[in-house]
Amino acid sequence: MADEDDSYPPMDAKRTPICIFFKDVRYVLKLDELGLEIAQIAFPAALAFTADPIASLVDTAFIGQIGPVELAAVGVSIALFNQVSRIAIFPLVSVTTSFVAEEDAIGRVSPEEEDSESLETGSTVNSENKELIPQNYSAEGPCKAKSPVSSFGIDKIENERRCIPSASSALVIGAILGLIQATFLISGAKPLLNFMGVGSDSPMLGPAQQYLTLRSLGAPAVLLSLAMQGVFRGFKDTKTPLYATVAGDVTNIILDPIFMFVFGLGVRGAAIAHVLSQYLISVILLWRLMKQVDLLPPSIKHLRLGQFLRNGLLLLMRVVAVTFCVTLSASLAARQGSTSMAAFQVCLQVWLATSLLADGLAVAGQAILASAFAKKDYEKATATATRVLQLGLLLGLMLAAVLGLGLRFGARLFTSDADVLHMISIGIPVSPFSATKKRKLLLPLCSTPDNPGVS
């Protein structure tokens, strides 16, 4: 029996986090076993993450053909909707992915492996994971298993639906948060837009309120679909969410011009098309999930609601801090007028579509880390964290270069308004304009009858 506690990974006092970050950096692009596993999870996840922003880019392109006022109005509404959504989305999805990956990894450990590990370490899986596994997860488990079960009560029979308590918990929380979000945004659309800088006399208020109210009807579908995507990512299955998201977004792109121009609904048509696409994604994911997971636990006490709330609260603080910056920027742009807000909307959507590629790496790292820790494979956990950090840095540098050079020529896809194009050029990190030309463009925006500009 080992004298030291095997519940924690061995630590090298001479190693610092920065040294671990550069560990085996020469293998960052190597397609070894770990590299292939990361790629197989990250690539479909990245495509799924970017599918919705790309659909939003198409929405932006269509709306930009109506006029800069409508483009600016939709930009404010999307910024507000995203601020409220992400407060719930990222904690929910992240916690779901980790919990499901942990439960699935433990549930797939064979009884022989459990007995062998118990003899070697002198402890059981239950005792070593007592802080992670709730006390009410007894040997019988929350589901009536037909074969030996793990400490989570996850059915091990292949070709049978698994009992994953976190999956049911995520759907319950997602549905409740979605209804709360829809009620909050619909009832407070006008005062929230006023707070964002869209005054009662602004030409943006009408289309912004219409778009926000209609799009808020899809909030329950958004939260539910993302909760289910978190479940599939916990299974290391990122292809199913990709297929569902692509199907929904293609539907959105097809319905956009029909509702906006054929039916003459304008920005309302764009919102309706987006809502329908979100409910289609939810239906596809639910249909696929019901084939793999038993979503009806025997009673509510078997749900991991308390653990979701405790762990999600920590992530919530980080998400609020990050999204608040974007929302504040949108509010300041809206106060500058429709031209500034339209340019901000284009830049923001392009940035989101590209930056979310890195989230595919985050999903891969999260799923592999949770599984590795559940199996006590700490060497793989360290290697995974190092590899994902290195790939993230490399991808970030590449995306910065692509954005700086590509948006100069691609901005005309979203608008033909000369003033908006000028503002977009100012927001590009690598701009063809010199500092003097940028200054000349900014001075008219800062000038007022009482303040003729900055000298």
Side-chain angles (χ1 to χ4, degrees), residues 343-362:
F344 178 84
Q345 165 67 1
V346 173
C347 292
L348 178 64
Q349 291 303 320
V350 172
W351 175 76
L352 285 175
T354 53
S355 64
L356 286 176
L357 287 170
D359 282 359
L361 288 174

Side-chain angles (χ1 to χ4, degrees), residues 7 102 106 117 124-134 151-152 373-376 378:
S7 299
E102 178 190 357
I106 295 176
E117 184 177 5
T124 62
V125 175
N126 279 336
S127 63
E128 291 180 341
N129 293 281
K130 60 184 178 183
E131 293 184 1
L132 293 176
I133 305 174
S151 55
F152 278 102
F373 275 114
K375 297 176 181 178
K376 300 183 182 61
Y378 301 120

Side-chain angles (χ1 to χ4, degrees), residues 114-167:
E114 290 182 0
D115 294 339
S116 175
E117 184 177 5
S118 298
L119 290 174
E120 292 177 1
T121 62
S123 59
T124 62
V125 175
N126 279 336
S127 63
E128 291 180 341
N129 293 281
K130 60 184 178 183
E131 293 184 1
L132 293 176
I133 305 174
Q135 295 298 326
N136 60 353
Y137 280 81
S138 61
E140 289 77 12
C143 303
K144 295 181 180 179
K146 300 176 183 178
S147 65
V149 295
S150 72
S151 55
F152 278 102
I154 302 169
D155 198 337
K156 295 183 181 178
I157 297 180
E158 302 292 339
N159 303 323
E160 290 278 352
R161 290 189 300 175
R162 286 170 284 181
C163 179
I164 306 291
S166 293

Side-chain angles (χ1 to χ4, degrees), residues 102-275:
E102 178 190 357
E103 294 177 5
D104 188 49
I106 295 176
R108 291 180 181 275
V109 177
S110 66
E112 292 79 6
E113 290 175 324
E114 290 182 0
D115 294 339
S116 175
E117 184 177 5
S118 298
L119 290 174
E120 292 177 1
T121 62
S123 59
T124 62
V125 175
N126 279 336
S127 63
E128 291 180 341
N129 293 281
K130 60 184 178 183
E131 293 184 1
L132 293 176
I133 305 174
Q135 295 298 326
N136 60 353
Y137 280 81
S138 61
E140 289 77 12
C143 303
K144 295 181 180 179
K146 300 176 183 178
S147 65
V149 295
S150 72
S151 55
F152 278 102
I154 302 169
D155 198 337
K156 295 183 181 178
I157 297 180
E158 302 292 339
N159 303 323
E160 290 278 352
R161 290 189 300 175
R162 286 170 284 181
C163 179
I164 306 291
S166 293
S168 303
S169 304
L171 293 184
V172 171
I173 295 176
I176 294 174
L177 291 177
L179 292 173
I180 293 175
Q181 178 184 332
T183 303
F184 174 72
L185 289 176
I186 292 174
S187 60
K190 186 174 181 179
L192 287 172
L193 289 170
N194 291 337
F195 177 77
M196 290 289 292
V198 182
S200 300
D201 57 344
S202 173
M204 294 186 290
L205 180 61
Q209 188 172 354
Q210 292 174 0
Y211 186 89
L212 180 60
T213 301
L214 289 172
R215 181 160 177 172
S216 298
L217 295 175
V222 172
L223 270 296
L224 277 173
S225 66
L226 287 169
M228 288 185 283
Q229 288 183 40
V231 175
F232 281 108
R233 290 166 190 161
F235 294 149
K236 299 182 182 180
D237 175 10
T238 51
K239 293 182 179 179
T240 300
L242 172 62
Y243 298 150
T245 303
V246 169
D249 288 340
V250 168
T251 302
N252 183 20
I253 293 171
I254 294 174
L255 293 179
D256 262 343
I258 297 176
F259 287 152
M260 291 175 64
F261 304 118
V262 177
F263 295 161
L265 296 177
V267 296
R268 292 177 296 170
I272 294 172
H274 189 86
V275 169

Side-chain angles (χ1 to χ4, degrees), residues 41-55:
I41 299 175
F43 186 68
L47 293 179
F49 273 124
T50 56
D52 187 63
I54 289 174

